PDB file of all heavy atoms in Angstrom:
ATOM      1  N   VAL B 550     -45.642 -93.337 123.305  1.00  0.00           N
ATOM      2  CA  VAL B 550     -44.197 -93.118 123.251  1.00  0.00           C
ATOM      3  C   VAL B 550     -43.857 -91.881 122.447  1.00  0.00           C
ATOM      4  O   VAL B 550     -42.897 -91.173 122.721  1.00  0.00           O
ATOM      5  CB  VAL B 550     -43.498 -94.326 122.632  1.00  0.00           C
ATOM      6  CG1 VAL B 550     -43.667 -95.563 123.533  1.00  0.00           C
ATOM      7  CG2 VAL B 550     -43.914 -94.607 121.224  1.00  0.00           C
ATOM      8  N   THR B 552     -45.443 -89.139 122.381  1.00  0.00           N
ATOM      9  CA  THR B 552     -45.574 -87.992 123.278  1.00  0.00           C
ATOM     10  C   THR B 552     -44.382 -87.903 124.236  1.00  0.00           C
ATOM     11  O   THR B 552     -43.854 -86.821 124.519  1.00  0.00           O
ATOM     12  CB  THR B 552     -46.885 -88.058 124.067  1.00  0.00           C
ATOM     13  OG1 THR B 552     -47.977 -88.038 123.141  1.00  0.00           O
ATOM     14  CG2 THR B 552     -46.997 -86.918 125.045  1.00  0.00           C
ATOM     15  N   ASP B 561     -42.196 -78.616 120.539  1.00  0.00           N
ATOM     16  CA  ASP B 561     -43.424 -77.860 120.777  1.00  0.00           C
ATOM     17  C   ASP B 561     -44.590 -78.854 120.610  1.00  0.00           C
ATOM     18  O   ASP B 561     -44.432 -80.030 120.434  1.00  0.00           O
ATOM     19  CB  ASP B 561     -43.579 -76.733 119.799  1.00  0.00           C
ATOM     20  CG  ASP B 561     -43.249 -77.182 118.398  1.00  0.00           C
ATOM     21  OD1 ASP B 561     -42.701 -78.297 118.240  1.00  0.00           O
ATOM     22  OD2 ASP B 561     -43.545 -76.476 117.415  1.00  0.00           O
ATOM     23  N   VAL B 563     -46.718 -79.856 122.775  1.00  0.00           N
ATOM     24  CA  VAL B 563     -46.992 -80.747 123.918  1.00  0.00           C
ATOM     25  C   VAL B 563     -47.541 -79.834 125.013  1.00  0.00           C
ATOM     26  O   VAL B 563     -46.948 -78.754 125.301  1.00  0.00           O
ATOM     27  CB  VAL B 563     -45.682 -81.416 124.423  1.00  0.00           C
ATOM     28  CG1 VAL B 563     -45.988 -82.250 125.664  1.00  0.00           C
ATOM     29  CG2 VAL B 563     -45.059 -82.255 123.341  1.00  0.00           C
ATOM     30  N   LEU B 578     -38.210 -92.939 136.945  1.00  0.00           N
ATOM     31  CA  LEU B 578     -37.742 -94.195 136.380  1.00  0.00           C
ATOM     32  C   LEU B 578     -36.271 -94.140 135.971  1.00  0.00           C
ATOM     33  O   LEU B 578     -35.746 -95.092 135.405  1.00  0.00           O
ATOM     34  CB  LEU B 578     -38.591 -94.535 135.128  1.00  0.00           C
ATOM     35  CG  LEU B 578     -39.802 -95.453 135.388  1.00  0.00           C
ATOM     36  CD1 LEU B 578     -40.559 -95.011 136.641  1.00  0.00           C
ATOM     37  CD2 LEU B 578     -40.765 -95.394 134.194  1.00  0.00           C
ATOM     38  N   ARG B 606       1.567 -85.588 122.527  1.00  0.00           N
ATOM     39  CA  ARG B 606       2.309 -84.371 122.528  1.00  0.00           C
ATOM     40  C   ARG B 606       1.433 -83.229 122.977  1.00  0.00           C
ATOM     41  O   ARG B 606       0.240 -83.205 122.691  1.00  0.00           O
ATOM     42  CB  ARG B 606       2.889 -84.036 121.156  1.00  0.00           C
ATOM     43  CG  ARG B 606       3.974 -85.036 120.803  1.00  0.00           C
ATOM     44  CD  ARG B 606       4.895 -84.434 119.792  1.00  0.00           C
ATOM     45  NE  ARG B 606       5.849 -85.457 119.263  1.00  0.00           N
ATOM     46  CZ  ARG B 606       6.652 -85.250 118.237  1.00  0.00           C
ATOM     47  NH1 ARG B 606       6.592 -84.094 117.595  1.00  0.00           N
ATOM     48  NH2 ARG B 606       7.452 -86.192 117.830  1.00  0.00           N
ATOM     49  N   PHE B 630      -9.486 -90.755 117.575  1.00  0.00           N
ATOM     50  CA  PHE B 630      -8.670 -91.547 116.657  1.00  0.00           C
ATOM     51  C   PHE B 630      -7.259 -91.023 116.721  1.00  0.00           C
ATOM     52  O   PHE B 630      -6.909 -90.018 116.171  1.00  0.00           O
ATOM     53  CB  PHE B 630      -9.197 -91.439 115.214  1.00  0.00           C
ATOM     54  CG  PHE B 630     -10.515 -92.146 115.095  1.00  0.00           C
ATOM     55  CD1 PHE B 630     -11.691 -91.424 115.353  1.00  0.00           C
ATOM     56  CD2 PHE B 630     -10.600 -93.472 114.759  1.00  0.00           C
ATOM     57  CE1 PHE B 630     -12.917 -92.060 115.284  1.00  0.00           C
ATOM     58  CE2 PHE B 630     -11.838 -94.076 114.707  1.00  0.00           C
ATOM     59  CZ  PHE B 630     -12.959 -93.397 114.955  1.00  0.00           C
ATOM     60  N   LEU B 684      -6.955 -78.445 104.606  1.00  0.00           N
ATOM     61  CA  LEU B 684      -7.215 -79.717 103.963  1.00  0.00           C
ATOM     62  C   LEU B 684      -8.086 -79.431 102.774  1.00  0.00           C
ATOM     63  O   LEU B 684      -9.225 -79.066 102.912  1.00  0.00           O
ATOM     64  CB  LEU B 684      -8.021 -80.588 104.948  1.00  0.00           C
ATOM     65  CG  LEU B 684      -7.586 -82.053 105.149  1.00  0.00           C
ATOM     66  CD1 LEU B 684      -6.103 -82.135 105.413  1.00  0.00           C
ATOM     67  CD2 LEU B 684      -8.335 -82.650 106.326  1.00  0.00           C
ATOM     68  N   GLU B 727       2.461 -78.396 106.502  1.00  0.00           N
ATOM     69  CA  GLU B 727       2.758 -77.013 106.144  1.00  0.00           C
ATOM     70  C   GLU B 727       3.447 -76.238 107.257  1.00  0.00           C
ATOM     71  O   GLU B 727       4.309 -75.390 106.997  1.00  0.00           O
ATOM     72  CB  GLU B 727       1.448 -76.252 105.880  1.00  0.00           C
ATOM     73  CG  GLU B 727       0.580 -76.832 104.778  1.00  0.00           C
ATOM     74  CD  GLU B 727      -0.822 -76.289 104.850  1.00  0.00           C
ATOM     75  OE1 GLU B 727      -1.068 -75.342 105.638  1.00  0.00           O
ATOM     76  OE2 GLU B 727      -1.692 -76.763 104.095  1.00  0.00           O
ATOM     77  N   ARG B 732       6.557 -71.625 108.995  1.00  0.00           N
ATOM     78  CA  ARG B 732       7.244 -70.882 110.060  1.00  0.00           C
ATOM     79  C   ARG B 732       8.674 -70.582 109.611  1.00  0.00           C
ATOM     80  O   ARG B 732       9.157 -69.449 109.848  1.00  0.00           O
ATOM     81  CB  ARG B 732       7.243 -71.688 111.377  1.00  0.00           C
ATOM     82  CG  ARG B 732       5.846 -71.813 111.917  1.00  0.00           C
ATOM     83  CD  ARG B 732       5.777 -72.512 113.288  1.00  0.00           C
ATOM     84  NE  ARG B 732       4.383 -72.648 113.687  1.00  0.00           N
ATOM     85  CZ  ARG B 732       3.991 -73.312 114.788  1.00  0.00           C
ATOM     86  NH1 ARG B 732       4.868 -73.896 115.585  1.00  0.00           N
ATOM     87  NH2 ARG B 732       2.704 -73.407 115.073  1.00  0.00           N
ATOM     88  N   GLY B 744      17.418 -56.983 106.483  1.00  0.00           N
ATOM     89  CA  GLY B 744      18.795 -56.859 106.137  1.00  0.00           C
ATOM     90  C   GLY B 744      19.756 -57.689 107.002  1.00  0.00           C
ATOM     91  O   GLY B 744      20.942 -57.571 106.944  1.00  0.00           O
ATOM     92  N   ASP B 764      20.713 -81.462 120.307  1.00  0.00           N
ATOM     93  CA  ASP B 764      21.851 -81.900 119.536  1.00  0.00           C
ATOM     94  C   ASP B 764      22.205 -80.902 118.415  1.00  0.00           C
ATOM     95  O   ASP B 764      23.360 -80.573 118.199  1.00  0.00           O
ATOM     96  CB  ASP B 764      21.549 -83.284 118.898  1.00  0.00           C
ATOM     97  CG  ASP B 764      21.391 -84.357 119.957  1.00  0.00           C
ATOM     98  OD1 ASP B 764      21.760 -84.080 121.123  1.00  0.00           O
ATOM     99  OD2 ASP B 764      20.831 -85.421 119.644  1.00  0.00           O
ATOM    100  N   ALA B 779      21.275 -65.301 118.660  1.00  0.00           N
ATOM    101  CA  ALA B 779      19.900 -65.654 119.035  1.00  0.00           C
ATOM    102  C   ALA B 779      19.411 -66.786 118.161  1.00  0.00           C
ATOM    103  O   ALA B 779      19.889 -66.972 117.039  1.00  0.00           O
ATOM    104  CB  ALA B 779      18.953 -64.436 118.850  1.00  0.00           C
ATOM    105  N   GLY B 783      11.002 -73.384 116.103  1.00  0.00           N
ATOM    106  CA  GLY B 783       9.664 -73.594 115.531  1.00  0.00           C
ATOM    107  C   GLY B 783       8.642 -74.010 116.583  1.00  0.00           C
ATOM    108  O   GLY B 783       7.428 -73.936 116.352  1.00  0.00           O
ATOM    109  N   ARG B 830      -7.469 -72.974 123.251  1.00  0.00           N
ATOM    110  CA  ARG B 830      -8.912 -72.929 123.511  1.00  0.00           C
ATOM    111  C   ARG B 830      -9.669 -72.163 122.405  1.00  0.00           C
ATOM    112  O   ARG B 830     -10.727 -72.597 121.939  1.00  0.00           O
ATOM    113  CB  ARG B 830      -9.166 -72.206 124.838  1.00  0.00           C
ATOM    114  CG  ARG B 830      -8.917 -73.108 126.032  1.00  0.00           C
ATOM    115  CD  ARG B 830     -10.018 -74.154 126.164  1.00  0.00           C
ATOM    116  NE  ARG B 830     -11.206 -73.609 126.789  1.00  0.00           N
ATOM    117  CZ  ARG B 830     -11.363 -73.408 128.092  1.00  0.00           C
ATOM    118  NH1 ARG B 830     -10.409 -73.716 128.902  1.00  0.00           N
ATOM    119  NH2 ARG B 830     -12.469 -72.904 128.580  1.00  0.00           N
ATOM    120  N   GLY B 831      -9.093 -71.046 122.016  1.00  0.00           N
ATOM    121  CA  GLY B 831      -9.728 -70.253 120.983  1.00  0.00           C
ATOM    122  C   GLY B 831      -9.856 -71.001 119.676  1.00  0.00           C
ATOM    123  O   GLY B 831     -10.904 -70.992 119.045  1.00  0.00           O
ATOM    124  N   LEU B 839     -17.413 -73.969 113.744  1.00  0.00           N
ATOM    125  CA  LEU B 839     -17.465 -74.217 112.295  1.00  0.00           C
ATOM    126  C   LEU B 839     -18.131 -75.553 111.962  1.00  0.00           C
ATOM    127  O   LEU B 839     -19.020 -75.606 111.089  1.00  0.00           O
ATOM    128  CB  LEU B 839     -16.073 -74.238 111.707  1.00  0.00           C
ATOM    129  CG  LEU B 839     -15.415 -72.931 111.301  1.00  0.00           C
ATOM    130  CD1 LEU B 839     -14.055 -73.171 110.690  1.00  0.00           C
ATOM    131  CD2 LEU B 839     -16.333 -72.217 110.315  1.00  0.00           C
ATOM    132  N   SER B 852     -21.264 -79.735  98.909  1.00  0.00           N
ATOM    133  CA  SER B 852     -21.255 -78.577  98.064  1.00  0.00           C
ATOM    134  C   SER B 852     -20.868 -77.366  98.935  1.00  0.00           C
ATOM    135  O   SER B 852     -21.658 -76.489  99.201  1.00  0.00           O
ATOM    136  CB  SER B 852     -22.608 -78.369  97.431  1.00  0.00           C
ATOM    137  OG  SER B 852     -23.562 -78.117  98.484  1.00  0.00           O
ATOM    138  N   ILE B 855     -17.246 -72.158  98.918  1.00  0.00           N
ATOM    139  CA  ILE B 855     -15.909 -71.677  99.220  1.00  0.00           C
ATOM    140  C   ILE B 855     -15.831 -70.168  99.330  1.00  0.00           C
ATOM    141  O   ILE B 855     -14.889 -69.616  99.880  1.00  0.00           O
ATOM    142  CB  ILE B 855     -14.932 -72.156  98.075  1.00  0.00           C
ATOM    143  CG1 ILE B 855     -15.212 -73.609  97.753  1.00  0.00           C
ATOM    144  CG2 ILE B 855     -13.516 -71.990  98.540  1.00  0.00           C
ATOM    145  CD1 ILE B 855     -14.367 -74.144  96.664  1.00  0.00           C
ATOM    146  N   ASP B 856     -16.844 -69.517  98.805  1.00  0.00           N
ATOM    147  CA  ASP B 856     -16.825 -68.074  98.845  1.00  0.00           C
ATOM    148  C   ASP B 856     -16.859 -67.546 100.292  1.00  0.00           C
ATOM    149  O   ASP B 856     -16.171 -66.615 100.644  1.00  0.00           O
ATOM    150  CB  ASP B 856     -17.994 -67.494  98.050  1.00  0.00           C
ATOM    151  CG  ASP B 856     -19.276 -68.250  98.402  1.00  0.00           C
ATOM    152  OD1 ASP B 856     -19.336 -69.437  98.008  1.00  0.00           O
ATOM    153  OD2 ASP B 856     -20.170 -67.704  99.017  1.00  0.00           O
TER     154      ASP B 856
END
Side-chain angles (χ1 to χ4, degrees):
Chain B
V550 296
T552 298
D561 46 346
V563 176
L578 266 45
R606 291 203 188 170
F630 292 87
L684 225 49
E727 303 164 7
R732 293 185 185 174
D764 295 345
R830 282 286 281 281
L839 272 183
S852 62
I855 314 179
D856 45 292

